[in-house]
Amino acid sequence: MLLREYLKENNLTQVKFINLIEMATGNSVPQGTLAKWIGGTRIPRKEQIETIFHITDGKVEPNDFYDLG
């Protein structure tokens, strides 16, 4: 599932998702960076992908950030 779809399905704003990341890791992600992840213009680093996978209960997987089709 794409991160954009996950946020929409769960009624999460970018700010709320950033807060979830911060609670899980103690690190903040700039809103502009999250917007690039959502838009597909930037791919999160390995540690960030692991955090996203954990926060989304595995619904957003690492492969979801790559256009493999």
Side-chain angles (χ1 to χ4, degrees), residues 2 24 35 42 46 55 61 67:
L2 295 176
R42 185 170 175 188
K46 179 183 182 283
I55 290 172
E61 300 180 5
D67 184 14

Side-chain angles (χ1 to χ4, degrees), residues 53-68:
F53 182 78
H54 173 73
I55 290 172
T56 63
D57 294 321
K59 292 181 181 172
V60 178
E61 300 180 5
N63 282 346
D64 297 330
F65 289 98
Y66 297 91
D67 184 14
L68 301 174

Side-chain angles (χ1 to χ4, degrees), residues 4-47:
R4 165 185 43 219
E5 295 167 349
Y6 178 84
L7 296 178
K8 186 174 182 177
E9 185 176 290
N10 291 280
N11 295 318
L12 291 172
T13 64
Q14 291 183 19
V15 172
K16 287 181 183 178
F17 195 73
I18 289 170
N19 289 338
L20 291 174
I21 292 172
E22 192 168 332
M23 286 189 293
T25 66
N27 298 318
S28 185
V29 172
Q31 189 275 331
T33 299
L34 180 61
K36 289 176 183 176
W37 295 347
I38 293 168
T41 58
R42 185 170 175 188
I43 297 173
R45 294 184 185 125
K46 179 183 182 283
E47 301 81 25

